[in-house]
Amino acid sequence: MQSTIEKKTYDAIVVGSGAAGGVAALVLVNKGLNVLMLELGPKLNPATDYPTSHKWPYEMPYRGLGKPGQYDGLWKVDAYTEHLFLNPKIDRYATAPGTDFHWTRVHAVGGRTLTWGRVSLRFSPSDFKPKSKQDGVGEDWPIEYKDVAPYYDKAETLMGVFGTREGLPNLPDGIYLPPPAMRCGETMLKRGCDKLGIPAIPNRKAVYTQNYDGHSACHYCGECTRGCETGSRFSTLEAIIPKLAGRDNFTLRTHAAAHRVIVDPKTNRVRGVSFIDTETRQEHEVYGKTVVLGAGAMESTRILLNSKTREHSNGLANSSGVLGHYLMDSIKSGFISGALPVLKGAKVSNDDGAGGGHLLIPRFTNLPGGRKSAALRGWQTQPNSGARIFPGYAKGQNGFGSGFKTQVREQNPAMVTMGGFGESLPDFTNYCEIDPNGPGVAGMPGVAGMKDRYGIPQLRFHAKWGDNDLKMAALMYDAAEEMLHAAGAEVLPYQRRTPAPMGDSTHEVGTARMGNDPKTSVLNQWCQAHEFKNLFVTDGASFVSATEKNCTLTIMALAWRACDYLAEELRAGNLT
């Protein structure tokens, strides 16, 4: 296919419009750079493109769950969200035999910030130095908490995060809007945690509890993960793109499937990006003085791996051989429910508001003064409580007919559901690569590798949980039971399960890790490629460790920091 070469040279080409790409574009445009943003999907209109967000299950075909078998195994994709997420049964990727990975993708302006859980937690000083300050495992980041703290301030202010200042060393405080009130069940669970000496605090989320930055406060309508028609929670579509639209130095190009970074072999600099127009299937080349990949850890890694040249046969910026390796995700486990007898039969109220639980139980193991654990590192728990629009626990209850319905209605206000995220350890053998074979089939020479719907070579994942990860997952069940019992709850029957495959938490990070040594890392402390001074990767691919905390706030803070540096280096003439 012959490429259409566009003549204009931008100061920066930003690939992706989610948490990383959105922040990168905002910072660089505000610094006066001429920026082109490439987004694979369309630009949605929240007023018209979230048509199902307020519908009750009985208003939806198949109660919103889809036809039997239609969405099996796709916990985020259902009739409410099928127009937002890619269905991996259709848009497939490969997994190596004996491994599995769940890759959640949203191809639209805003990316996964359109559907994310919005929990926004700062990493602690020891999170950036896990090897030297925790247990000697893994590697330390080449940066410290104090390097990122000012950018946490900026990101939280932009996002409108609610929360409280608690003074916990493992969970640094930030800049917060007032939190919503905890529900009855969450208040009782907190009392139980207090008895056990386990911290339990108001959650920290990017949801507007008061009118903020031109947006109305959350009116507690239901599930934020289906899209917010009023823009009352942070997404780059609603909070960043309007600040850039119409600016002379910003161009948004939608339906642009970036797949290759273009290199000038004479100068050892990147020149631009090649993308496929998904509507015309025409390939285009656009040029920039700098390139910023912020398309999500997996997609940015795929672009670098697909950008191989004669001089860079292992993928771009991959002389270390670690590109794609050290894939990590949060361990999702401990999902059990309990009923609080004192709340059975209570009046049903709207407990779906502000999208999920209002209580957070931070990590309490393997910390100074905390509990010791049989597994390295630790986990956090995000409980949910009260009457929900879709009482999922009912599927596990015995009974039939009117008696069953009465039981579910009585228990609905009394329910407390546990579940959390644990820290997976970095492992070189967890990785992604460009699929060399047929769909997930190894050892078949001569078979073309899997490609996506645009003909771009697709990823193959080699990912599975390690021994420490599985040990932690079991401990999360033990802790959840202990906390429910301490709160006075009756624990409902449940089956302990191994964690869902890596990627299921959508906290995937680490595949282009930063470090001081170019022999063992892809990026330096500024998210700048060791091998190409004008190439930056600002999403979760840069992470050295995962921690138990949700990753989006840290992605945004690091992207802000990297782009401040990029702008100054470009002005100084150090990147061209």
Side-chain angles (χ1 to χ4, degrees), residues 29-83:
V29 168
N30 286 343
K31 293 281 187 179
L33 276 64
N34 198 326
V35 175
L36 170 66
M37 172 183 278
L38 300 177
E39 166 55 49
L40 195 157
K43 182 181 178 184
L44 303 179
N45 181 346
T48 58
D49 290 324
Y50 302 143
T52 62
S53 63
H54 282 125
K55 286 190 177 181
W56 289 85
Y58 57 76
E59 297 178 275
M60 298 285 290
Y62 301 97
R63 298 295 191 267
L65 298 178
K67 295 179 182 179
Q70 185 176 5
Y71 302 117
D72 286 355
L74 309 178
W75 74 274
K76 289 195 173 186
V77 187
D78 56 26
Y80 284 99
T81 60
E82 62 184 359
H83 64 299

Side-chain angles (χ1 to χ4, degrees), residues 217-228:
C218 173
H219 61 282
Y220 292 37
C221 67
E223 293 291 340
C224 306
T225 53
R226 296 171 182 165
C228 180

Side-chain angles (χ1 to χ4, degrees), residues 362-560:
R363 174 182 167 185
F364 57 89
T365 60
N366 300 323
L367 297 170
R371 293 185 179 189
K372 296 300 180 182
S373 168
L376 296 175
R377 311 287 165 88
W379 63 91
Q380 46 127 329
T381 305
Q382 296 178 17
N384 229 317
S385 171
R388 312 302 303 279
I389 191 172
F390 211 122
Y393 70 90
K395 292 184 290 184
Q397 300 299 292
N398 296 321
F400 181 78
S402 60
F404 171 75
K405 291 179 181 178
T406 298
Q407 176 185 341
V408 171
R409 289 192 180 108
E410 287 180 348
Q411 285 196 158
N412 204 19
M415 294 305 300
V416 178
T417 301
M418 308 293 281
F421 299 111
E423 177 173 355
S424 63
L425 299 178
D427 185 339
F428 183 83
T429 64
N430 283 329
Y431 68 100
C432 61
E433 62 178 347
I434 300 302
D435 180 37
N437 305 303
V441 181
M444 295 179 60
V447 178
M450 181 180 288
K451 296 182 179 180
D452 67 14
R453 64 169 69 185
Y454 311 114
I456 302 170
Q458 188 55 283
L459 288 176
R460 181 169 71 163
F461 292 93
H462 303 248
K464 58 183 179 180
W465 299 115
D467 291 341
N468 192 75
D469 305 329
L470 296 173
K471 187 181 297 183
M472 183 182 295
L475 292 171
M476 291 170 72
Y477 279 109
D478 293 338
E481 277 200 59
E482 182 186 15
M483 289 183 278
L484 285 173
H485 284 306
E490 300 168 347
V491 177
L492 274 62
Y494 71 96
Q495 181 180 356
R496 294 192 176 211
R497 302 181 185 276
T498 56
M502 196 174 290
D504 203 69
S505 296
T506 63
H507 297 165
E508 64 273 17
V509 295
T511 46
R513 54 167 32 191
M514 63 168 70
N516 292 324
D517 187 352
K519 295 180 180 179
T520 58
S521 59
V522 178
L523 311 171
N524 67 12
Q525 64 165 315
W526 304 104
C527 300
Q528 178 184 32
H530 288 301
E531 297 172 57
F532 299 95
K533 291 184 176 181
N534 60 337
L535 173 63
F536 293 75
V537 182
T538 60
D539 49 41
S542 70
F543 282 34
V544 180
S545 58
T547 87
E548 81 287 355
K549 301 172 178 74
N550 303 57
C551 56
T552 303
L553 175 63
T554 299
I555 288 171
M556 294 177 66
L558 293 176
W560 205 310

